[in-house]
Amino acid sequence: NYPFVNAGILSVGMDLNSGIYLCKRITVQSGAEMTLRINTFMENYGDVDILGSLLVLNASDNAIVNANGGHLMILNGGKVIFQ
């Protein structure tokens, strides 16, 4: 079972906006998968490291926003899939 965020705003980092889900950092390890479903948006003010897979089912242009120095790092073997 891999985690998925069903709906709402996932805020990452130290300078968080209001969001339903709040965290300081996300690391998707090698072999792991995280899914952002159709009604989910990610506001990244910190660090998101992808060594496994990040599946984004939200087709909006602003499904993932890197703000205020936020970094989305796709590392060796990692992948981000937009569907």
Side-chain angles (χ1 to χ4, degrees):
N1 294 338
Y2 295 113
F4 66 87
V5 182
N6 192 45
I9 296 174
L10 170 62
S11 290
V12 181
M14 297 299 287
D15 184 22
L16 298 177
N17 193 354
S18 60
I20 295 174
Y21 308 101
L22 306 174
C23 61
K24 292 187 182 199
R25 178 185 193 107
I26 293 178
T27 301
V28 180
Q29 296 289 341
S30 179
E33 179 180 289
M34 180 176 175
T35 301
L36 302 178
R37 300 207 34 182
I38 294 171
N39 295 316
T40 303
F41 295 87
M42 179 189 292
E43 294 178 350
N44 181 22
Y45 304 93
D47 294 309
V48 177
D49 297 325
I50 309 297
L51 294 106
S53 298
L54 175 62
L55 178 59
V56 182
L57 302 178
N58 185 337
S60 298
D61 290 341
N62 62 344
I64 298 177
V65 174
N66 289 309
N68 298 346
H71 297 100
L72 175 66
M73 300 290 294
I74 304 168
L75 302 167
N76 189 25
K79 57 186 172 183
V80 177
I81 303 163
F82 291 90
Q83 291 186 344

